[in-house]
Amino acid sequence: KQEVTQIPAALSVPEGENLVLNCSFTDSAIYNLQWFRQDPGKGLTSLLLIQSSQREQTSGRLNASLDKSSGRSTLYIAASQPGDSATYLCAVLTQGGSEKLVFGKGTKLTVNP
Amino acid sequence: KAGVTQTPRYLIKTRGQQVTLSCSPISGHRSVSWYQQTPGQGLQFLFEYFSETQRNKGNFPGRFSGRQFSNSRSEMNVSTLELGDSALYLCASSRSKVGSGRNDEQFFGPGTRLTVL
């Protein structure tokens, strides 16, 4: 059974700091990995999607890496801003007959002005 | 281009009642997946529909059901509501069936907040 873990559960940083969010998964049989952002009481916004054959993806100040063999992904946020405050969720799309997104519990990020 | 829409946005029901939630996917998207989000369990997969057929189902009791119409709109139904069904229900759509390897990125709606009293 695929399990996704995100560490830390919460993170508070001053504005302007570079930061890294971590995600690990137990089964390497995945199609892809996605990072999402969720604002309080809202739906999910897709940030980056990395196919299983890829190593990283970049979008603006965000960079996500994937090491499928070790079951790890990181989301790097450069020059953090107060508007980046949200919960960040990592999800893997599982293989094996029951394709579905399996989510971690998220990292709640607070960027202080 | 309009995103995924879900109606209603908020619902309050009492135990034992049933509820129907609706999801309209992005135009041209044929796959719709449903997820339940609770503080304790996080986000959990309910089911996926593609071309009016249920492809995959998560580990939820039979009280949770769904369907998809020919225009790709989807509904999910929860019968005999329990207090533990209180959650944010999220719908996601993708152009192709999930896991197909092409055009299967999922885009999420704003969710329906269900409160069971």
Side-chain angles (χ1 to χ4, degrees):
Chain A
K1 179 189 170 188
Q2 179 73 263
E3 292 182 1
V4 179
T5 303
Q6 290 186 247
I7 295 173
L11 183 63
S12 182
V13 301
E15 182 177 2
E17 192 161 297
N18 302 325
L19 57 101
V20 174
L21 306 181
N22 296 293
C23 171
S24 62
F25 49 95
T26 55
D27 188 341
S28 62
I30 64 171
Y31 287 110
N32 59 51
L33 182 145
Q34 271 186 275
W35 283 93
F36 294 91
R37 168 187 173 138
Q38 186 173 34
D39 293 286
K42 302 290 180 65
L44 306 182
T45 300
S46 180
L47 298 173
L48 290 165
L49 182 151
I50 311 176
Q51 299 291 352
S52 62
S53 59
Q54 297 176 318
R55 297 285 293 185
E56 66 177 330
Q57 281 284 354
T58 298
S59 176
R61 293 183 294 109
L62 305 179
N63 176 277
S65 68
L66 173 63
D67 184 341
K68 200 174 77 161
S69 60
S70 68
R72 296 180 188 277
S73 175
T74 61
L75 177 67
Y76 174 82
I77 303 176
S80 58
Q81 303 170 357
D84 294 332
S85 298
T87 296
Y88 290 80
L89 293 152
C90 162
V92 295
L93 182 59
T94 62
Q95 295 183 355
S98 179
E99 294 88 4
K100 62 186 178 189
L101 282 174
V102 177
F103 285 84
K105 294 283 180 72
T107 294
K108 184 175 181 180
L109 174 65
T110 303
V111 181
N112 301 300
Chain B
K1 190 174 185 181
V4 178
T5 59
Q6 293 187 244
T7 56
R9 294 293 313 279
Y10 302 92
L11 264 178
I12 299 176
K13 294 284 188 179
T14 57
R15 279 181 298 174
Q17 287 187 310
Q18 74 160 17
V19 67
T20 299
L21 313 182
S22 180
C23 172
S24 293
I26 293 171
S27 178
H29 284 197
R30 295 169 61 196
S31 169
V32 173
S33 298
W34 289 89
Y35 296 83
Q36 180 196 65
Q37 186 176 31
T38 60
Q41 299 297 318
L43 270 152
Q44 294 184 288
F45 171 76
L46 280 157
F47 27 64
E48 180 204 358
Y49 285 87
F50 180 81
S51 294
E52 302 178 66
T53 302
Q54 186 181 93
R55 289 190 65 236
N56 290 308
K57 189 177 193 305
N59 190 24
F60 279 82
R63 301 185 296 107
F64 292 81
S65 63
R67 59 178 175 168
Q68 186 181 35
F69 303 94
S70 58
N71 62 358
S72 295
R73 189 178 70 85
S74 177
E75 289 181 347
M76 68 163 279
N77 183 276
V78 188
S79 62
T80 319
L81 284 166
E82 301 177 359
L83 295 178
D85 297 332
S86 294
L88 181 66
Y89 290 88
L90 292 164
C91 156
S93 75
S94 60
R95 190 174 294 278
S96 300
K97 62 180 74 170
V98 173
S100 63
R102 290 188 63 193
N103 298 314
D104 64 347
E105 181 177 0
Q106 295 181 57
F107 296 87
F108 282 76
T112 294
R113 171 76 62 184
L114 172 65
T115 301
V116 182
L117 302 176

